[in-house]
């Protein structure tokens, strides 16, 4: 290859091991773009996740499989709701008001599902993102 260059051994940096805790989406302090990029970076292993709570039930860990960032800004809230149009995903509004749309997710002990299937399983309950429960850090 004509553009190939020999690597300068003096400039080599060693990367630290990835910790599963790095894959948590901290939507209360990160933007939608940061969360989306984190999901892309950790998609193979360990996979990104956040904690969701349905009404007053115990928080559950939810793995995020596919996302996209929406251009719109909204008032920050912890309520997770589906978009108004057919084919829209779950709208997770980050602390800065940016919107991360979750297209596919996997609640713990369940199979991967699209946003519509997740909403159908709520049966009228309200889903909210929550900070991780104490003692439940990965």
């Amino acid at each position: 290859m004509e553009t190939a260059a020999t690597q300068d051994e003096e400039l080599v940096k060693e990367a630290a091991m990835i910790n599963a805790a790095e894959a948590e989406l901290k939507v209360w302090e990160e933007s939608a773009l940061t969360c989306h990029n984190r999901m892309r970076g950790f998609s193979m292993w360990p996979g990104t996740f956040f904690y969701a709570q349905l009404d007053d039930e115990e928080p559950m860990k939810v793995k995020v499989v596919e996302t996209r960032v929406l251009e719109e800004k909204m008032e920050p809230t912890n309520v997770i709701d589906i978009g108004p149009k057919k084919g829209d995903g779950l709208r997770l509004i980050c602390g800065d008001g940016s919107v991360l749309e979750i297209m596919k997710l996997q609640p713990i002990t369940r199979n991967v599902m699209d946003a519509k299937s997740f909403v159908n399983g709520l049966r009228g309950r309200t889903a909210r993102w929550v900070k991780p429960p104490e003692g439940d850090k990965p």
Side-chain angles (χ1 to χ4, degrees), residues 79-96:
V79 175
I80 303 168
D81 209 358
I82 195 149
K85 293 183 279 184
K86 185 176 182 174
D88 282 352
L90 292 173
R91 300 210 171 171
L92 200 107
I93 303 168
C94 297
D96 67 349

Side-chain angles (χ1 to χ4, degrees), residues 6 13 17 24 31 36 40-41 43 59 66 72 80 94 98 100 107 122:
T6 307
K13 301 282 183 194
M17 292 291 290
E24 181 180 359
S31 70
H36 175 70
R40 290 174 51 225
S43 64
E66 183 183 334
E72 60 192 85
I80 303 168
C94 297
S98 59
L100 180 70
L122 293 178

Side-chain angles (χ1 to χ4, degrees), residues 2 14 20-21 32 40-41 44 48 51 53 60 65 75 83-85 118-119 121 128 134 137:
E2 294 178 26
E14 202 169 307
R40 290 174 51 225
M44 294 302 288
T48 53
Y51 288 90
Q53 185 172 21
M60 66 176 167
V65 178
E75 188 66 31
K85 293 183 279 184
F118 180 78
V119 170
R128 301 176 184 279
E134 288 302 314
K137 303 274 184 185

Side-chain angles (χ1 to χ4, degrees), residues 4-130:
T6 307
Q7 183 173 347
D8 183 357
E9 296 296 325
E10 297 292 321
L11 300 176
V12 172
K13 301 282 183 194
E14 202 169 307
M17 292 291 290
I18 295 174
N19 183 337
E22 294 177 67
E24 181 180 359
L25 298 181
K26 297 179 176 108
V27 295
W28 58 94
E29 62 186 37
E30 296 176 338
S31 70
L33 182 60
T34 301
C35 291
H36 175 70
N37 288 337
R38 183 179 307 273
M39 191 279 310
R40 290 174 51 225
F42 290 113
S43 64
M44 294 302 288
W45 186 89
T48 53
F49 65 93
F50 69 96
Y51 288 90
Q53 185 172 21
L54 307 178
D55 289 339
D56 292 330
E57 295 178 15
E58 288 291 315
M60 66 176 167
K61 193 175 190 178
V62 178
K63 182 177 179 180
V64 178
V65 178
E66 183 183 334
T67 63
R68 66 182 176 194
V69 178
L70 300 181
E71 295 296 321
E72 60 192 85
K73 289 269 192 175
M74 299 179 82
E75 188 66 31
T77 179
N78 67 345
V79 175
I80 303 168
D81 209 358
I82 195 149
K85 293 183 279 184
K86 185 176 182 174
D88 282 352
L90 292 173
R91 300 210 171 171
L92 200 107
I93 303 168
C94 297
D96 67 349
S98 59
V99 182
L100 180 70
E101 188 170 40
I102 300 173
M103 307 308 290
K104 291 184 181 177
L105 65 159
Q106 182 180 13
I108 195 129
T109 73
R110 304 280 184 196
N111 291 327
V112 173
M113 61 184 73
D114 63 7
K116 182 72 172 171
S117 298
F118 180 78
V119 170
N120 288 343
L122 293 178
R123 296 185 299 258
R125 297 176 290 181
T126 301
R128 301 176 184 279
W129 59 258
V130 294

